[in-house]
Amino acid sequence: MQLEWLTLLTLPFVAIACWLYTVSITRSRFPKLRNKRICLLIAHPDDEAMFFAPTVLALTDPSLGNHVKILCLSSGDADGLGETRKKELVKSGMLLGLRQEDDVFVIESPHFPDSMTTTWDKQAIASLLSDAFAPNLAKPMKNKSVDAPTATIDVLITFDKFGVSSHANHISLYHGARHFIASLIHNRPGWGCPVDLYTLNTVSLVRKYTSFFDSISSLLGMAFGTKQTGAHPSPLLLMSGIGEVRIAQKAMTTAHKSQMRWFRWGWIGLSRYMVVNDLQLEKITGK
């Protein structure tokens, strides 16, 4: 009986030790983005903390030389809290490692209403991204060009086609971002795209709520899956340790106070997205 109790008491410490070991392996042996101009594209204030905290915390590490900005396409004004939520997003971004408050941009447009069921137009999203990051290429050319496409960012990060939570606004960002990338290289044969699009992998419902335990599954999937290295590595595995997870939780509990309903306490305690992000490089053609 004493041995059984000792085993039960030891298991949590073993699990935490395994998690921290996977974090150290990930940071030392897997590829990273360095010296990049990066934009995180989100739909609502709090997306950066609830879903992308490991990404922002990892990429804002000063030793990597990246400059990370956040572009949010709505103020989350469904409950009339838009102004409050914009301020909360800035506070959260700074907690997660952004250089300055001006690195947070919030768009308020009737084209992008905060709604669980409204699909945003991908052309409207792509046009906004073109105006912001590639104004010289905002309109696709009818004839082929010999000039290389250019942009003011190197990397765009957003949700994948499932949107993690199947939120219509999240999914819209995926399609809008792809449309933007395709427009950059449209009618420019022979040139690579100046912007890499990485999307956040949506996992099963079971894995979604396994917190740090999913770090082991993610590491194994990365180790035995297909990998692309070099200047455009994929996938990227971004994993937080205890300190980073506490920062991510603080970004929700102290910055996004207006959103801290009972179910979000469950999310920040159980969601693997507070601990692990795996990003896939999207393959897009300009045809």
Side-chain angles (χ1 to χ4, degrees):
M1 181 65 71
Q2 290 182 343
L3 181 60
E4 292 176 356
W5 276 108
L6 182 60
T7 301
L8 289 174
L9 290 172
T10 303
L11 283 176
F13 295 100
V14 172
I16 292 173
C18 290
W19 163 34
L20 297 179
Y21 178 69
T22 61
V23 172
S24 67
I25 291 294
T26 300
R27 292 177 178 175
S28 62
R29 300 186 184 181
F30 289 95
K32 301 177 178 69
L33 297 180
R34 297 179 182 273
N35 302 313
K36 301 293 186 182
R37 300 166 297 176
I38 301 170
C39 176
L40 173 64
L41 177 65
I42 58 176
H44 320 98
D46 76 12
D47 287 349
E48 83 296 338
M50 289 182 62
F51 304 107
F52 291 97
T55 293
V56 181
L57 285 163
L59 295 180
T60 55
D61 180 345
S63 68
L64 298 179
N66 298 314
H67 190 175
V68 180
K69 298 184 178 185
I70 296 175
L71 175 59
C72 184
L73 293 201
S74 81
S75 63
D77 197 36
D79 298 321
L81 297 172
E83 289 304 313
T84 296
R85 297 194 68 185
K86 285 192 287 186
K87 295 176 183 177
E88 290 177 340
L89 174 57
V90 172
K91 184 176 181 179
S92 172
M94 295 304 293
L95 283 171
L96 294 173
L98 297 190
R99 293 184 183 180
Q100 55 195 12
E101 293 184 355
D102 289 343
D103 287 334
V104 177
F105 304 87
V106 180
I107 304 297
E108 291 187 284
S109 167
H111 294 294
F112 310 123
D114 177 12
S115 170
M116 289 286 292
T117 57
T118 300
T119 299
W120 296 342
D121 180 63
K122 68 178 183 179
Q123 181 61 59
I125 297 171
S127 295
L128 185 149
L129 294 173
S130 293
D131 291 341
F133 303 123
N136 294 332
L137 303 172
K139 294 182 179 180
M141 297 175 300
K142 295 181 180 180
N143 300 316
K144 294 182 179 181
S145 172
V146 297
D147 297 325
T150 60
T152 58
I153 57 172
D154 305 304
V155 175
L156 182 64
I157 299 172
T158 194
F159 295 95
D160 71 1
K161 62 183 178 182
F162 301 108
V164 177
S165 59
S166 299
H167 197 301
N169 296 167
H170 295 177
I171 296 170
S172 298
L173 295 185
Y174 167 79
H175 293 290
R178 285 185 61 93
H179 196 58
F180 163 64
I181 297 298
S183 71
L184 292 181
I185 52 178
H186 179 68
N187 276 338
R188 292 178 174 86
W191 292 107
C193 185
V195 180
D196 285 338
L197 173 61
Y198 286 91
T199 56
L200 179 63
N201 183 39
T202 297
V203 300
S204 67
L205 184 63
V206 173
R207 285 185 61 191
K208 188 183 293 186
Y209 293 102
T210 53
S211 187
F212 65 83
F213 290 103
D214 193 64
S215 61
I216 300 173
S217 300
S218 299
L219 179 62
L220 291 174
M222 180 84 165
F224 294 103
T226 302
K227 294 183 286 295
Q228 178 177 315
T229 58
H232 310 279
S234 180
L236 298 176
L237 184 59
L238 306 158
M239 200 174 295
S240 294
I242 294 174
E244 291 87 0
V245 171
R246 289 178 65 86
I247 292 172
Q249 291 173 337
K250 185 178 180 181
M252 279 301 300
T253 59
T254 66
H256 291 290
K257 289 183 178 180
S258 71
Q259 301 303 299
M260 285 310 297
R261 299 176 178 87
W262 67 268
F263 55 88
R264 288 205 168 88
W265 287 99
W267 178 269
I268 67 174
L270 296 175
S271 172
R272 59 91 71 176
Y273 289 99
M274 300 295 290
V275 183
V276 184
N277 282 171
D278 43 335
L279 305 178
Q280 188 73 39
L281 179 63
E282 295 287 326
K283 296 181 179 180
I284 302 171
T285 64
K287 295 179 179 181

